[in-house]
Amino acid sequence: MSENLPPTIDPMAAARWQLAAPAQSPWLHEEVGRRMEDRLQWICRTPKTWCDWQPVRGGIQAHTLVVQRYPQAQCHVVEVAPRMQAVAQAQWAKPWWKSGWGGAKTWVEMPAKGSVEMLWANMALHHQAQPMRMLQAWHDALAVDGFVMFSCFGPDTAKELRQLYVQMGWPAAGHSFTDMHDWGDMLVQAGFAEPVMDMETITLTFATPERLLQELRELGCNLHPQRFAGLRGKAWLNALHRAIDQHLRVDSSEGQIALTFELVYGHAFKPAPRVAVERESAVSLDQMRSMLQKGREQGLR
């Protein structure tokens, strides 16, 4: 699958969103992070170093849960946007005299290549115009046998609102989200091994259309290339409120407005590099070190 196909995202709009997104963790991101952290109980290996990728939006409370699970693990926090970096610095970058002696430390900076044993990325991928670049950056940061844990929205997210926009003859309500099977293929393409993908759906209910739209604005924005080209007036907003009120209220939710969210979870390992056997083969120094280390570990088993 090409990285220029789903998700269908306007690259310039995605870049603007990265700079303008609220520097806080939406409630739903925190809930997804809590559920993903619970899955760490099935991972036998305890990482000594890990990286949290964009945790300001991904979940500050979720970050704390991972720290509590791995209290001795050193951590790198990666934020790209300046406003997010400032929040991360204030949240996690403590002076040495406040960090304590011998405790785990947190650096708000990109980790060195091949230096972390777990990469944690909660609710970041679905806003990427070129997600393969992010997957490859994760692969680069991980040490051999390190693993990635990530989550994102799946294609059934806000399906009721998408259908409503079609019925009203409006442009797409939002950009497309990638299916979990495609994420598995992309993980392999990026160099990961043994990807495990699963998903779940949850339904959130809202008392009013205004409350639903407020929640969606906190979660993200419409990055579809064929979205509405300009601003809409109060008349259109009132029409949207009426349409939501009429079509999205369901009896099974006590008459409240219901909206579906599909949550995709992914997990994969970084395998030892493989070198094709030819008459002449070039092996980098880093590859040679990884293969030798892997050989020593297998010899001790």
Side-chain angles (χ1 to χ4, degrees):
M1 187 187 81
S2 170
E3 65 178 57
N4 295 319
L5 294 177
T8 307
I9 291 179
D10 180 342
M12 294 184 64
R16 289 195 298 269
W17 168 251
Q18 291 294 326
L19 294 175
Q24 61 187 28
S25 310
W27 170 85
L28 185 56
H29 287 195
E30 294 284 12
E31 174 61 20
V32 175
R34 183 191 65 77
R35 298 183 183 206
M36 188 164 72
E37 188 277 335
D38 189 59
R39 294 162 184 253
L40 289 174
Q41 66 180 302
W42 308 113
I43 305 296
C44 296
R45 183 174 181 180
T46 299
K48 296 178 181 178
T49 58
W50 67 291
C51 174
D52 199 341
W53 200 274
Q54 298 181 356
V56 174
R57 290 285 299 166
I60 292 174
Q61 296 172 26
H63 177 95
T64 300
L65 291 176
V66 180
V67 170
Q68 291 172 350
R69 182 176 290 273
Y70 304 128
Q72 300 303 316
Q74 312 293 327
C75 178
H76 287 262
V77 167
V78 173
E79 289 289 355
V80 178
R83 289 192 307 123
M84 303 301 179
Q85 288 179 348
V87 173
Q89 288 283 351
Q91 183 74 30
W92 293 296
K94 299 179 180 179
W96 64 268
W97 60 86
K98 291 185 179 181
S99 300
W101 296 100
K105 294 180 175 59
T106 299
W107 295 273
V108 182
E109 60 183 21
M110 187 74 70
K113 289 187 176 182
S115 64
V116 298
E117 297 175 350
M118 181 183 76
L119 197 142
W120 174 274
N122 189 44
M123 303 298 281
L125 267 176
H126 53 259
H127 283 130
Q128 299 301 310
Q130 296 178 316
M132 276 297 296
R133 291 186 180 180
M134 182 169 283
L135 293 180
Q136 289 163 352
W138 296 351
H139 186 272
D140 288 343
L142 280 169
V144 171
D145 285 341
F147 62 95
V148 62
M149 296 281 293
F150 73 90
S151 61
C152 59
F153 282 137
D156 276 348
T157 297
K159 61 182 181 180
E160 300 89 349
L161 191 64
R162 295 175 188 273
Q163 293 166 0
L164 176 60
Y165 269 54
V166 172
Q167 293 173 14
M168 300 296 291
W170 294 335
H175 55 278
S176 301
F177 296 134
T178 301
D179 181 82
M180 68 175 182
H181 300 99
D182 291 326
W183 283 128
D185 293 341
M186 293 173 73
L187 284 168
V188 173
Q189 185 179 347
F192 288 96
E194 302 179 31
V196 177
M197 306 298 304
D198 68 305
M199 55 77 67
E200 64 176 333
T201 58
I202 63 173
T203 301
L204 300 185
T205 57
F206 308 89
T208 65
E210 291 85 352
R211 180 65 189 89
L212 179 149
L213 294 174
Q214 177 187 347
E215 185 79 16
L216 292 180
R217 282 192 292 269
E218 292 172 358
L219 291 172
C221 65
N222 187 350
L223 303 177
H224 198 289
Q226 278 78 53
R227 64 193 181 280
F228 275 108
L231 297 175
R232 284 132 288 160
K234 290 184 178 179
W236 180 87
L237 182 60
N238 291 333
L240 174 61
H241 288 168
R242 289 193 299 270
I244 291 174
D245 205 38
Q246 179 180 355
H247 295 285
L248 271 64
R249 288 194 183 276
V250 293
D251 294 336
S252 59
S253 297
E254 300 180 349
Q256 291 207 330
I257 299 168
L259 198 63
T260 297
F261 291 86
E262 179 181 342
L263 309 176
V264 172
Y265 301 92
H267 168 73
F269 286 88
K270 178 176 179 176
R274 296 182 179 180
V275 179
V277 179
E278 301 176 357
R279 293 186 63 181
E280 292 185 6
S281 298
V283 182
S284 71
L285 182 58
D286 287 341
Q287 287 178 319
M288 180 62 71
R289 286 172 177 165
S290 296
M291 289 187 289
L292 289 173
Q293 180 64 29
K294 186 72 174 179
R296 293 193 192 99
E297 292 174 355
Q298 293 177 341
L300 293 174
R301 292 173 185 171

